[in-house]
Amino acid sequence: GFEMPEDALQIRRVDLLAEVDSEVSLHDFRMVVGENQINLIFDMVVPIQYDKEQRKSLCQTMRKRMHEIDSRYQCVIVVESSFVAGEK
C-alpha cells in the first residue's frame, strides 16, 4: 500500500491551522500523488460570517503554507460555512 510521507502527516497537525486562523477547521483530508505533484484535497470549514475576501485570503494562505512545506503540494480546497454553534 501507499504510505503517506512523514511531512504530509505534519500537515494534518492543528498548529499549522491555528497559525492561519483558529476559527477554521479542516475535514476529509486526502492526498492524491501524481508524477510531479501531490494534490492535497480537503474541506475547510470557516465561520459563516466570513465574507468572500476572507475566505479567499484563507485559501491563499493555506496554499502558500503547504507549498512551503513541499513545492509539489497543490491544494484543492472546498470551503464550507460552519453554522452557529448549537444549530444542527
Side-chain angles (χ1 to χ4, degrees), residues 2 31-40 72-74:
F2 170 71
M31 198 169 167
V32 181
V33 179
E35 208 166 297
N36 303 313
Q37 66 177 44
I38 297 172
N39 286 338
L40 304 173
R72 293 169 303 165
Y73 288 155
Q74 300 291 325

Side-chain angles (χ1 to χ4, degrees), residues 7 11 16 36-40 42 59-77:
D7 54 357
I11 290 171
L16 174 76
N36 303 313
Q37 66 177 44
I38 297 172
N39 286 338
L40 304 173
F42 52 88
C59 286
Q60 286 170 340
T61 305
M62 282 307 276
R63 289 195 177 96
K64 189 167 156 255
R65 289 282 153 82
M66 297 302 191
H67 201 75
E68 283 164 7
I69 294 171
D70 189 318
S71 61
R72 293 169 303 165
Y73 288 155
Q74 300 291 325
C75 293
V76 180
I77 307 171

Side-chain angles (χ1 to χ4, degrees), residues 21-25 44-51 54-55 58 79-84:
D21 189 328
S22 58
E23 298 287 310
V24 173
S25 61
M44 186 163 71
V45 180
V46 302
I48 199 158
Q49 66 271 24
Y50 278 29
D51 63 23
Q54 281 172 298
R55 289 163 189 235
L58 269 172
V79 181
E80 296 177 349
S81 296
S82 65
F83 297 98
V84 185

